[in-house]
């Protein structure tokens, strides 16, 4: 009988080898062939029958990039089901930050959700603000949950959100992503976190993006520091794609290349004026486009 190649999920992708899952709790290191390409965390790969080599990478459903300070992209994970934008009352997100993350998620073709962490810090004034935001984002189709690493039961809603498929957490530094991962994965030694505890910094430099199985179901990809320092440059059309409620109006403006800023007979502007699109969202879109254009010069 001829031995068959087998399909495995990549836990960590290194330059010369991949760590793949071979059982629910078992891992193996397999070498890469020159022809096999470079598997990343979350890839599905064919491993040779002797278990020694990656033969091929299966076609990716999607690819998740990191961007360096110059905006150059590098794929660090693949086949994700969800990008969870983590935010918190403190550090308070800048005005358009959540929308910027949602735009980036839309452009890599991965569904997004929002998680408000540090819910224990919400004061009465914050409550009103965040309730309105939750309503807005849910209305647009984004799951929205709260979490707290400082309260018992504070992770229930997030666990439920993560219980299916493969997720990655993104968000600005300090919102609590590492704390959440640590709590979600009890007993898992996270090398990066130990380093962080020892030095207080530097955890972004040595880390390999890694996939973990969650005890309650689902998988989470840990890629410390990812999207913390912003995302890559996008065109006005790409930014508009991240404002999902614009979709029915795109292509209906007088000018085919309308950027929905000051152009006459703009369908998006008209939709905002009659209340079909929230004025606040159009304003946010325009600020994001303006900010990108001002850095272009
Ligand atoms: P990261 O930069 O997003 O990975 O954030 P960290 O996990 O390093 O957390 C930043 C700070 O926020 C730390 O001092 C955490 O103890 C704190 N923190 C994390 N989660 C919570 C939370 O749910 N509530 C409160 N009050 N503080 C939190
Ligand atoms: Zn327009």
């Amino acid at each position: 009988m001829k031995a068959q190649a087998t399909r495995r999920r990549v836990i960590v992708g290194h330059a010369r080898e991949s760590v793949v899952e071979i059982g629910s709790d078992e891992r193996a290191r397999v070498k890469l062939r020159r022809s096999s390409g470079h598997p990343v965390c979350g890839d599905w790969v064919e491993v040779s029958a002797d278990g020694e080599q990656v033969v091929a990478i299966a076609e990716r459903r999607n690819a998740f990039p990191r961007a360096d300070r110059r905006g150059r992209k590098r794929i660090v994970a693949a086949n994700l089901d969800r990008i969870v934008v983590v935010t918190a009352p403190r550090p308070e997100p800048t005005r358009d930050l959540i929308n910027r993350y949602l735009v980036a998620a839309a452009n890599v073709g991965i569904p997004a959700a929002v998680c408000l962490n540090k819910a224990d810090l919400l004061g009465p004034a914050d409550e009103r603000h965040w309730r309105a935001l939750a309503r807005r984002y849910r209305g647009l189709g984004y799951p929205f949950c709260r979490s707290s690493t400082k309260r018992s039961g504070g992770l229930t809603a997030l666990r439920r959100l993560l219980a299916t498929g493969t997720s990655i957490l993104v968000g600005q530094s300090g919102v609590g992503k590492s704390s959440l991962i640590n709590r979600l994965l009890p007993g898992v030694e996270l090398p990066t976190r130990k380093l962080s505890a020892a030095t207080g910094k530097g955890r972004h430099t040595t880390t390999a993006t890694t996939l973990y199985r969650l005890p309650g179901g689902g998988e989470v990809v840990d890629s410390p520091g990812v999207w913390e320092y912003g995302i890559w440059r996008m065109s006005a059309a790409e930014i508009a794609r991240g404002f999902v409620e614009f979709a029915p109006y795109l292509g209906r403006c007088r000018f085919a290349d309308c950027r929905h800023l000051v152009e006459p007979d703009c369908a998006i502007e008209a939709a905002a004026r009659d209340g079909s699109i929230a004025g606040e969202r159009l304003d946010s879109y325009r600020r994001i486009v303006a900010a990108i254009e001002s850095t272009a010069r």
Side-chain angles (χ1 to χ4, degrees), residues 5-218:
T6 49
R7 201 171 136 91
R8 304 292 187 205
R9 191 103 195 250
V10 174
I11 304 298
V12 190
H14 295 293
R16 290 190 180 77
E17 59 178 18
S18 293
V19 177
V20 302
E21 193 166 56
I22 55 171
S24 58
D25 255 333
E26 279 186 278
R27 310 274 136 98
R29 290 179 172 272
V30 290
K31 299 255 176 287
L32 304 180
R33 276 185 195 167
R34 217 178 271 276
S35 61
S36 62
H38 282 284
V40 296
C41 175
D43 260 326
W44 289 94
V45 292
E46 294 286 330
V47 175
S48 58
D50 61 9
E52 293 288 322
Q53 284 189 323
V54 170
V55 179
I57 307 175
E59 195 183 332
R60 292 174 180 157
R61 271 193 292 134
N62 54 51
F64 179 94
R66 296 181 79 110
D68 65 17
R69 283 178 191 279
R70 288 182 175 166
R72 283 177 305 208
K73 287 194 261 180
R74 185 166 60 89
I75 302 303
V76 294
N79 304 316
L80 301 184
D81 296 287
R82 186 178 303 106
I83 291 172
V84 181
V85 178
V86 181
T87 180
R90 279 185 287 288
E92 192 184 343
T94 53
R95 196 159 45 168
D96 300 309
L97 189 64
I98 298 174
N99 290 338
R100 282 172 182 267
Y101 281 128
L102 296 176
V103 164
N107 280 282
V108 293
I110 302 172
V114 182
C115 176
L116 171 61
N117 188 39
K118 308 197 192 183
D120 55 288
L121 297 183
L122 290 173
D126 299 320
E127 259 307 326
R128 208 170 328 128
H129 168 72
W130 284 102
R131 251 184 228 176
L133 276 189
R135 221 175 300 123
R136 162 142 309 148
Y137 287 118
R138 285 192 185 122
L140 293 169
Y142 299 106
F144 189 107
C145 74
R146 289 182 176 197
S147 65
S148 170
T149 63
K150 310 278 180 187
R151 274 187 191 155
S152 81
L155 266 67
T156 308
L158 180 60
R159 282 205 185 94
R160 201 177 307 134
L161 176 70
L162 303 180
T164 54
T166 308
S167 305
I168 190 164
L169 309 185
V170 303
Q172 75 185 115
S173 178
V175 294
K177 298 178 302 294
S178 338
S179 309
L180 288 168
I181 298 258
N182 278 321
R183 287 281 310 276
L184 288 165
L185 298 169
V188 174
E189 286 274 302
L190 297 164
T192 62
R193 311 303 175 204
K194 275 192 300 191
L195 190 70
S196 154
T199 64
K201 58 180 178 216
R203 68 190 153 103
H204 304 324
T205 48
T206 54
T207 331
T209 300
T210 306
L211 183 139
Y212 296 96
R213 300 237 166 240
L214 295 164

Side-chain angles (χ1 to χ4, degrees), residues 92 124 126 147 171 206 213 222 224 230 255 260 273-274 279 284:
E92 192 184 343
D126 299 320
S147 65
T206 54
R213 300 237 166 240
D222 183 33
F255 299 109
H260 330 301
R273 219 176 299 126
D274 77 15
S284 180

